[in-house]
Amino acid sequence: MSGVESLQGVAANDLGLPNVAVWPIGSLRQTNGGLDTEILIQMEFRLIAEKNSWRTLSLAKTLEAAI
């Protein structure tokens, strides 16, 4: 599943609903729901068992560490 969703207006009571089960519930509970400027970005990608695929995964981990 990929996409961008605003978390503004998400209340702590909403976190038990099935449609938000893929969200980072623990983080949202710490702030008692979504913050005004908070968004959720999800990406899905698949790798083919090739040398270039593993380079892509390595780059993604490097970018994640930089954030």
Side-chain angles (χ1 to χ4, degrees):
M1 177 154 76
S2 299
V4 177
E5 295 188 46
S6 172
L7 299 178
Q8 182 177 356
V10 175
N13 294 339
D14 299 333
L15 300 178
L17 300 173
N19 61 323
V20 300
V22 297
W23 292 0
I25 306 282
S27 298
L28 289 167
R29 285 203 188 281
Q30 288 179 340
T31 58
N32 203 26
L35 302 176
D36 289 344
T37 58
E38 194 169 20
I39 62 170
L40 173 67
I41 300 173
Q42 298 183 98
M43 290 180 257
E44 179 180 326
F45 63 96
R46 297 172 191 221
L47 298 176
I48 300 169
E50 294 179 354
K51 189 171 155 181
N52 286 334
S53 297
W54 298 114
R55 287 184 186 155
T56 300
L57 182 59
S58 176
L59 175 61
K61 285 187 162 215
T62 302
L63 291 173
E64 180 182 21
I67 294 176

